[in-house]
Amino acid sequence: MLRLIKNEWIKIFTKISTYIMLILVLLFVVGFSGLMYLNSRYDTGYGYAVDPESELEYLTVSKPVGYELDVAMYEFIRDSGREWQYGEWQMDAIQEAYEDYGAPLLYQADSLSEEEKQQLQTRLEEAQACIMADDLDGYIEGKLDYINETEEDESLREAKSYYWSYILDHGVVPGSGDWRESAAATVGSLKEELAVLESRKAAGEVITDETIREVSDPLALAEYRLDNGIQYYLDENGSTGDLFYNTWIQGAMIVVLASVVMIVLAGGSVANEFSNGTIKFLLINPVKRSKIIISKYLTLILVAAVMIVGIFLVSGLTDLIFFGTDGLKTPMLLVEDGVVSQGNAMWYVLKQYLYQGVNLLVMMTMAFMISSLLRNSAVSIGIGVAALMGGSMLVQILAMLGFDWGRYILFANTDLVSIASGNGLFANQSLTSAVVILAVYMVVFLLTAYDGFTRREV
């Protein structure tokens, strides 16, 4: 058997076309990483100057809902005598100040007492003074005082104060690009949402534990990041802000190109023996047909495995060259019932390539079956490539039309990456059921290929 596998290996790698296809796959791997790197270097820039005159002209002409508040703000910006930039903390702060203090003065004046109006006007002026003096700490302290005065619920008061307290205590400048700002904002928002849910639950409203977990788990994750200084991380769905892992994970798509290569090799594996007339020389050897067909398939599996592992390693190495080794330190964070743990990020990435490899294996096996059955490489390759490219479109149409039986079609189960993440085309589609269905198809393909080669006359 080993001698037969070796001979099949030699047959595959004595063809120039094999090397051309492998080089193309390699170029795609390197090219993809290069494009991701170039894209990461391209900075559109967020900060640009505010033009109050243009804004005022637009507002006075279009008069959208709430335009009066914006008019008051841009008039202050115009009269301030300084240049304002979108994306800087001063611009965000002046917008918040007018929303917090200016909006009630403008739209709720009839329901406010003179004392309340004076308090709001004083706070607006104090906020404006802090912003004009670039006094971030003073502005934040004013925000915290306002929250403490206006929010009676202790949990909500703590939640609304969290973001401001954090950036004040840790010297984070809003709009500076510090990752801790967005993480602190996430914690504050989730704390506020959780406080509201718990308040509603305490009032007798039915709030399920699952609903609570949907908020408490991401809250625990965000707090864990801040406590441990983790800027980039990989979550259980493969989402990450780290360019190294992001590129490595997305590089798994190139396995689809490898699938085309394997379909070509599988489609000609048996059929070419007949078209080239070498089948008679192969069968005169004292070797059973069953061993010949099995050795051909095992060789294809070996080539496919080498290609998948090769793409995985070359992609990872190329990404290291482009993005550096810091990405290797990026942890995978998992959270369950409010408890955060660290997983193996590299193993997660490898699984994405293996999931894509299952699709490759299934398509390769189908092409191998057709090659053995019809003994025509062109037909085998054509059907295999058409199935690879068009199969997913077919099941998407069936899913959209509500044909639930479509879940049992081969192509509805080949995208294991989506199914594993809970995003299958059909409801309640699980990884286990997909693997079982694929296994059934694989058995049928292999038995058909075996029967077509061993029982039919040459």
Side-chain angles (χ1 to χ4, degrees):
M1 181 67 73
L2 290 177
R3 183 175 62 84
L4 290 173
I5 293 175
K6 180 180 178 180
N7 289 338
E8 290 298 325
W9 182 276
I10 293 172
K11 285 181 183 179
I12 291 174
F13 286 95
T14 52
K15 298 177 181 178
I16 297 178
S17 59
T18 301
Y19 290 98
I20 292 175
M21 290 187 293
L22 292 178
I23 290 172
L24 287 174
V25 172
L26 178 62
L27 289 176
F28 266 91
V29 173
V30 177
F32 178 78
S33 297
L35 287 174
M36 292 291 286
Y37 173 77
L38 291 175
N39 183 63
S40 69
R41 299 294 93 186
Y42 179 71
D43 184 11
T44 58
Y46 178 63
Y48 57 94
V50 179
D51 185 355
E53 293 293 351
S54 296
E55 296 290 350
L56 287 168
E57 182 180 353
Y58 165 76
L59 290 169
T60 53
V61 172
S62 61
K63 295 184 179 181
V65 176
Y67 82 99
E68 299 93 347
L69 183 66
D70 289 336
V71 166
M73 181 186 71
Y74 282 112
E75 285 178 344
F76 170 78
I77 291 174
R78 180 194 60 193
D79 300 336
S80 66
R82 64 172 290 172
E83 185 175 304
W84 298 72
Q85 296 280 334
Y86 287 112
E88 292 183 344
W89 77 265
Q90 291 89 344
M91 187 60 198
D92 292 336
I94 198 64
Q95 289 176 320
E96 290 172 350
Y98 272 88
E99 288 173 2
D100 290 342
Y101 316 128
L105 283 170
L106 191 59
Y107 301 118
Q108 302 171 23
D110 294 340
S111 61
L112 297 175
S113 66
E114 290 301 321
E115 182 181 358
E116 289 173 329
K117 291 178 183 178
Q118 184 58 46
Q119 288 176 343
L120 287 170
Q121 184 62 41
T122 300
R123 287 201 172 277
L124 178 59
E125 291 173 356
E126 289 176 348
Q128 290 171 336
C130 289
I131 294 168
M132 291 298 294
D134 294 328
D135 182 8
L136 176 60
D137 290 355
Y139 174 77
I140 293 175
E141 288 169 358
K143 287 282 294 186
L144 290 172
D145 288 342
Y146 179 70
I147 292 171
N148 289 329
E149 288 179 6
T150 57
E151 184 55 65
E152 297 180 358
D153 186 277
E154 183 177 351
S155 297
L156 279 173
R157 185 166 61 248
E158 178 186 349
K160 291 180 178 181
S161 300
Y162 180 87
Y163 168 77
W164 299 108
S165 297
Y166 184 90
I167 62 176
L168 180 63
D169 295 341
H170 294 81
V172 178
V173 179
S176 63
D178 193 323
W179 68 271
R180 293 176 297 173
E181 181 195 354
S182 62
T186 299
V187 172
S189 175
L190 291 171
K191 277 180 173 289
E192 187 173 346
E193 187 176 351
L194 185 61
V196 171
L197 287 174
E198 290 176 344
S199 176
R200 289 165 54 191
K201 187 174 182 179
E205 189 174 339
V206 178
I207 304 294
T208 65
D209 293 339
E210 180 62 28
T211 301
I212 297 291
R213 277 196 300 272
E214 288 176 356
V215 179
S216 61
D217 280 357
L219 172 59
L221 184 62
E223 290 181 317
Y224 184 89
R225 289 179 60 208
L226 286 173
D227 293 340
N228 293 275
I230 299 174
Q231 178 177 4
Y232 298 123
Y233 70 101
L234 190 68
D235 68 15
E236 59 185 352
N237 296 317
S239 299
T240 175
D242 179 66
L243 288 170
F244 168 73
Y245 271 113
N246 186 46
T247 305
W248 203 1
I249 290 171
Q250 292 189 41
M253 296 184 298
I254 299 174
V255 176
V256 175
L257 182 61
S259 299
V260 176
V261 175
M262 292 311 304
I263 287 172
V264 172
L265 295 178
S269 179
V270 177
N272 285 343
E273 299 285 2
F274 289 90
S275 60
N276 295 333
T278 56
I279 186 64
K280 294 181 179 180
F281 297 101
L282 188 63
L283 295 180
I284 62 174
N285 291 305
V287 179
K288 293 182 178 179
R289 289 193 183 190
S290 58
K291 285 189 175 182
I292 294 174
I293 190 69
I294 291 173
S295 66
K296 284 182 176 292
Y297 185 70
L298 291 178
T299 304
L300 291 170
I301 290 179
L302 182 59
V303 174
V306 171
M307 287 189 68
I308 294 169
V309 174
I311 293 173
F312 171 77
L313 295 176
V314 173
S315 180
L317 179 60
T318 307
D319 296 338
L320 282 175
I321 294 172
F322 281 117
F323 302 107
T325 58
D326 288 344
L328 292 173
K329 302 175 185 177
T330 301
M332 182 174 188
L333 300 183
L334 307 172
V335 58
E336 185 174 359
D337 295 330
V339 178
V340 181
S341 60
Q342 294 199 18
N344 191 317
M346 194 169 295
W347 168 239
Y348 177 87
V349 178
L350 179 58
K351 283 197 299 184
Q352 307 312 300
Y353 282 78
L354 294 178
Y355 286 153
Q356 293 285 3
V358 171
N359 185 27
L360 180 153
L361 180 64
V362 173
M363 294 296 102
M364 180 194 78
T365 305
M366 185 174 69
F368 183 73
M369 173 198 69
I370 299 171
S371 177
S372 175
L373 195 63
L374 302 182
R375 301 176 181 180
N376 187 308
S377 60
V379 173
S380 305
I381 295 170
I383 294 177
V385 172
L388 177 66
M389 301 301 177
S392 59
M393 294 178 59
L394 171 64
V395 293
Q396 284 177 11
I397 293 172
L398 293 176
M400 287 184 353
L401 294 176
F403 294 120
D404 192 64
W405 51 265
R407 69 174 63 242
Y408 301 109
I409 294 178
L410 172 68
F411 312 111
N413 299 278
T414 52
D415 188 5
L416 295 184
V417 174
S418 298
I419 294 173
S421 61
N423 297 316
L425 290 171
F426 297 91
N428 302 318
Q429 202 171 7
S430 67
L431 185 61
T432 301
S433 64
V435 170
V436 170
I437 292 171
L438 290 178
V440 172
Y441 275 100
M442 288 283 289
V443 170
V444 173
F445 290 161
L446 290 173
L447 289 177
T448 304
Y450 181 87
D451 182 73
F453 186 79
T454 57
R455 296 182 59 182
R456 291 178 62 186
E457 294 294 331
V458 177

